[in-house]
Amino acid sequence: MEKFATHTGVGAPLKHSNVDTDQIIPAVYLKRITKTGFDDALFAGWRKDPEFVLNREPYRNASVLVAGSDFGTGSSREHAVWALRDYGFTAVISSRFGDIFRGNAGKQGLLAAQVEQSDVELLWKLMAEQPGVELTVDLESRTVSCGAVTVPFQIDDYTRWRLMEGLDDIGLTLQHEEDVEAYEQRRPGFKPTTLPART
Amino acid sequence: MTTTTDTTAPRTLAEKVWDDHLVRRGGPGQPDLLYIDLHLLHEVTSPQAFEGLRLAGRGLRRTDLTIATEDHNTPTENIFSTIADETSRKQIETLRRNCEEFGVRLHSLGDAEQGIVHVVGPQLGLTQPGMTVVCGDSHTSTHGAFGALAFGIGTSEVEHVMATQTLPLAPFKTMAITVEGTLKPGVTSKDIILAVIARIGTGGGQGYVLEYRGSAIRSLSMEARMTMCNMSIEAGARAGMIAPDQTTLDYVQGRPHAPQGEDWDAAVAYWRTLHTDEGAEFDREVVIDADELEPFVTWGTNPGQGVPLSRAVPDPEEAEGEDAQDAARRALQYMGLEAGTPMKQIPVDIVFLGSCTNSRIEDLRAAAEILRGRSKAENVRMMVVPGSAKVRLQAEAEGLDRVFTDFGADWRFAGCSMCLGMNPDQLAPGERCASTSNRNFEGRQGKGGRTHLVSPVVAAATAVRGTLSAPSDLEPVG
């Protein structure tokens, strides 16, 4: 994973709440066995509408999505994060994220920045006044800036640290191999195993 | 959730299970590392994880704590022919190849143990109290019905569990959902959970593990408890739990992977400790009166947009806040509904009985009980999809399949089917469905399809009358 420090790009307003992961990427696109190439699948149900925000200039090349509350609820599909990333998004801003989506984003270098709903509305207002305006998300200071306006965002310390260092979770856990082995030694013998198979 | 090591202080059920799986406590601001007792796999969220292991030259650490089934993509008819959809076929073939290569037990289409992953785990006795259970599927919360800490994970986490059998997890908060009283006839655990979600909202559970408790919960069967815990994610919660009791023990005992002999005794002694201690504190508490509950149904495009079936489609202007009003207006437009229309006057095209929420034998029995001796409304198509091959066989042994087919319903093979329409079982644009599944999102059951979430008995009554209906709306069988 690449190190993340700061990013500046065109902001796109997505003025809906409860954008579930079925809307971010419908299930029919989940049959692929690769981890890339999902850009065409992003918001597929809505992309057919010429008025949809990402079909309009100057938002086609947006890289910072500013969405309504409860973004990424529902299904655990990490494909939602892959689709946002493949389309070109580097950060998503919302006042509340689905738990699993937020976790998935942190593992793939997509910044899920949580801000107050009033700040989401402020950013929408600034983007409406100046369509195509660039937003800067700064992970070091945990802020989003748009022109002269700067608002804070929340992200947990651990995810921030991993994103800034570009670290991979599995590698970090494998440093604690001895602790895992010690746990396995004290694990109760009555716990079930799938093998040998009993039916 | 607790970050202390004091195990003598009163603790909630979730905290106890958490503490018992601590491999390593994280420092300040760092996640704890938890051991995972059972990892369930299916074809959709695993291929990229297996590929990740391969690229990194890593093995799968505990094949004996891992099991796979084919469910999301599988056809529910002609299951012994080649799968027609090429990408579905390729994804299933990839799972088969990966399980072979890494030594993972797999129940394939046509196998007697194949089925929806959340039906198969409990059925085999692999889901037991006090375990940690994960799967690349948000409805893993189902297994919390046993007093397990069970939650859905993304594909990166699937790969992490494959490689290490652990997960780094930030502590959760806890919420008690207390349901006291007695359910009226025709009211089920599906109605309780839909009412809970309507109360706390689709984001109300975010960051929480929910614990369902109270006399109404104690009186539920294991399968009814699974329905409730299954939909915890629809309130935004990662997990839902119910403390194990005699009902739980009776369900587990004698299943293929249940402990036996001395192991059973040791397990039961441990399981008896798995309850929230007197004096333990929840971060939030919600109380629901079971006596007041009625059959519940959704009118909108998220599971929190629901009302009692006896009511009308709500007026968006009466929703709280501009955001909720806007969401309600959009939902009504998508659903093709007008505010004020009585829910019971809404005609449906399709009734779907199935999914990891409501496809177990008790669900099929309850629906069959209503359909027996009645005939199907002409305008309605009904599809019955058992949750597993075992459920299908059991239903056939009881003659339920004939009740369904005599009624005029399709009797299908096991899988996720029309819950998410990854296989050919999809709604056409504009079609309206009364569905026992878990999500009424736009396009979930097929592009342009309209979903009303209901219980199995409401689904059955709806198939008889052709409009959304409760069992109490039916004429007695004459």
Side-chain angles (χ1 to χ4, degrees):
Chain A
M1 203 162 75
E2 281 181 37
K3 291 184 183 184
F4 192 120
T6 179
H7 170 79
T8 300
V10 171
L14 183 63
K15 294 177 134 184
H16 304 322
S17 58
N18 271 294
V19 176
D20 56 75
T21 54
D22 274 74
Q23 306 314 316
I24 300 174
I25 180 169
V28 291
Y29 294 97
L30 310 187
K31 297 177 185 178
R32 300 174 185 169
I33 56 171
T34 57
K35 220 169 177 171
T36 55
F38 290 93
D39 46 331
D40 60 324
L42 180 69
F43 300 123
W46 295 338
R47 288 267 284 282
K48 311 256 184 335
D49 174 4
E51 289 304 303
F52 180 61
V53 60
L54 297 185
N55 289 335
R56 288 185 281 135
E57 293 298 352
Y59 304 116
R60 287 178 203 274
N61 296 316
S63 62
V64 180
L65 189 68
V66 184
S69 64
D70 294 307
F71 186 85
T73 54
S75 159
S76 63
R77 58 190 70 168
E78 196 162 308
H79 310 66
V81 172
W82 303 336
L84 284 160
R85 184 200 58 196
D86 289 352
Y87 182 89
F89 284 106
T90 302
V92 183
I93 296 168
S94 173
S95 64
R96 196 159 59 181
F97 291 97
D99 278 337
I100 307 178
F101 175 86
R102 191 180 43 211
N104 290 341
K107 307 233 185 293
Q108 293 295 325
L110 178 75
L111 175 64
Q114 186 171 327
V115 306
E116 294 294 325
Q117 182 61 28
S118 55
D119 288 336
V120 168
E121 280 157 25
L122 174 62
L123 293 172
W124 282 344
K125 184 168 162 281
L126 295 171
M127 286 187 281
E129 285 168 3
Q130 205 183 333
V133 67
E134 290 193 326
L135 305 186
T136 296
V137 285
D138 187 313
L139 192 51
E140 173 73 41
S141 63
R142 300 184 216 219
T143 57
V144 186
S145 306
C146 182
V149 174
T150 296
V151 300
F153 70 77
Q154 286 180 17
I155 186 167
D156 68 88
D157 293 341
Y158 182 70
T159 303
R160 173 173 172 269
W161 171 70
R162 267 193 323 96
L163 285 170
M164 292 189 74
E165 299 295 324
L167 291 171
D168 146 67
D169 259 349
I170 297 178
L172 289 171
T173 297
L174 289 174
Q175 294 172 5
H176 305 302
E177 174 66 25
E178 282 178 12
D179 292 328
V180 179
E181 281 175 11
Y183 182 88
E184 285 178 330
Q185 290 298 318
R186 62 178 190 269
R187 210 169 153 258
F190 59 74
K191 295 267 185 175
T193 58
T194 58
L195 299 172
R198 300 204 293 252
T199 58
Chain B
M1 194 166 292
T2 181
T3 49
T4 70
T5 45
D6 181 6
T7 52
T8 57
R11 291 177 298 163
T12 63
L13 167 62
E15 287 163 348
K16 288 181 180 179
V17 178
W18 182 281
D19 290 346
D20 287 347
H21 290 84
L22 268 178
V23 169
R24 192 172 178 279
R25 199 173 281 284
Q30 299 273 314
D32 290 345
L33 191 64
L34 259 64
Y35 200 79
I36 302 302
D37 288 320
L38 180 64
H39 190 192
L40 306 163
L41 301 175
H42 61 85
E43 74 273 19
V44 178
T45 54
S46 66
Q48 295 86 353
F50 277 116
E51 185 65 13
L53 288 187
R54 215 177 272 121
L55 290 172
R58 290 173 178 142
L60 195 152
R61 183 183 176 90
R62 294 295 299 261
T63 51
D64 62 335
L65 303 182
T66 311
I67 187 169
T69 71
E70 299 167 1
D71 56 8
H72 282 64
N73 264 311
T74 52
T76 55
E77 49 188 358
N78 305 321
I79 63 164
F80 297 105
S81 325
T82 309
I83 297 172
D85 182 304
E86 196 188 326
T87 49
S88 289
R89 189 173 70 238
K90 196 169 171 200
Q91 196 166 56
I92 284 174
E93 285 169 355
T94 302
L95 179 69
R96 291 176 185 171
R97 219 175 31 249
N98 283 331
C99 287
E100 172 86 36
E101 181 184 336
F102 286 88
V104 173
R105 173 179 174 185
L106 167 67
H107 293 293
S108 280
L109 197 56
D111 180 316
E113 297 295 343
Q114 178 266 341
I116 306 175
V117 67
H118 309 308
V119 177
V120 170
Q123 184 176 281
L124 282 168
L126 284 168
T127 305
Q128 296 173 17
M131 291 173 64
T132 46
V133 181
V134 299
C135 175
D137 188 288
S138 59
H139 292 113
T140 309
S141 56
T142 309
H143 307 263
F146 292 80
L149 182 60
F151 47 90
I153 56 179
T155 295
S156 292
E157 291 171 309
V158 169
E159 184 182 337
H160 193 285
V161 176
M162 285 175 168
T164 69
Q165 203 58 35
T166 65
L167 270 182
L169 291 168
F172 297 104
K173 290 180 285 185
T174 56
M175 189 189 306
I177 309 268
T178 306
V179 191
E180 296 286 359
T182 311
L183 295 174
K184 291 196 271 274
V187 182
T188 68
S189 69
K190 180 67 163 281
D191 304 302
I192 306 179
I193 189 65
L194 285 172
V196 167
I197 299 163
R199 167 87 75 88
I200 70 174
T202 54
Q206 263 170 31
Y208 289 93
V209 172
L210 312 183
E211 183 183 332
Y212 305 105
R213 41 208 325 250
S215 58
I217 304 297
R218 294 263 75 84
S219 69
L220 296 175
S221 70
M222 279 316 294
E223 297 194 355
R225 294 178 189 186
M226 285 188 242
T227 299
M228 284 203 69
C229 289
N230 171 277
M231 288 191 71
S232 304
I233 178 70
E234 312 315 335
R238 282 292 280 273
M241 298 178 87
I242 295 174
D245 58 10
Q246 194 59 43
T247 303
T248 321
L249 268 52
D250 291 344
Y251 182 95
V252 173
Q253 191 165 28
R255 291 189 180 267
H257 286 272
Q260 294 173 348
E262 285 176 14
D263 277 347
W264 173 259
D265 297 336
V268 169
Y270 171 58
W271 297 345
R272 297 253 186 235
T273 69
L274 296 174
H275 52 81
T276 292
D277 293 326
E278 194 77 36
E281 284 186 16
F282 291 93
D283 297 295
R284 189 180 163 194
E285 296 197 52
V286 172
V287 178
I288 305 264
D289 183 354
D291 299 274
E292 296 293 310
L293 292 176
E294 298 175 50
F296 222 82
V297 58
T298 61
W299 52 267
T301 53
N302 74 55
Q305 292 174 322
V307 286
L309 182 53
S310 60
R311 305 266 184 84
V313 177
D315 185 347
E317 309 311 316
E318 287 170 16
E320 248 179 74
E322 207 175 306
D323 194 46
Q325 290 176 4
D326 181 52
R329 275 191 291 269
R330 283 169 45 81
L332 290 192
Q333 189 182 11
Y334 180 85
M335 293 295 288
L337 292 174
E338 292 203 8
T341 307
M343 292 305 298
K344 288 186 181 177
Q345 286 179 15
I346 298 173
V348 307
D349 304 300
I350 294 186
V351 172
F352 171 61
L353 176 56
S355 87
C356 58
T357 312
N358 282 123
S359 63
R360 296 178 180 81
I361 192 69
E362 287 177 14
D363 299 316
L364 303 193
R365 283 178 192 146
E369 191 58 36
I370 286 163
L371 302 181
R372 203 185 301 270
R374 292 193 164 101
S375 48
K376 186 171 66 64
E378 275 186 17
N379 59 321
V380 172
R381 184 159 80 82
M382 182 174 186
M383 208 164 87
V384 184
V385 183
S388 69
K390 270 279 163 68
V391 170
R392 184 180 151 100
L393 290 169
Q394 175 69 28
E396 289 178 348
E398 296 178 20
L400 304 182
D401 58 319
R402 286 191 303 280
V403 176
F404 293 124
T405 52
D406 288 351
F407 178 76
D410 287 350
W411 174 241
R412 298 294 186 90
F413 287 88
C416 299
S417 180
M418 195 181 267
C419 174
L420 82 168
M422 278 192 78
N423 75 349
D425 307 338
Q426 296 180 17
L427 296 181
E431 274 188 322
R432 189 179 299 281
C433 180
S435 179
T436 65
S437 58
N438 40 58
R439 288 186 176 139
N440 50 341
F441 297 155
E442 284 183 27
R444 168 85 176 179
Q445 297 192 285
K447 197 167 173 297
R450 295 160 169 169
T451 305
H452 296 276
L453 300 178
V454 297
S455 73
V457 293
V458 168
T462 300
V464 174
R465 281 167 48 98
T467 54
L468 291 171
S469 302
S472 58
D473 297 324
L474 301 177
E475 302 287 333
V477 176

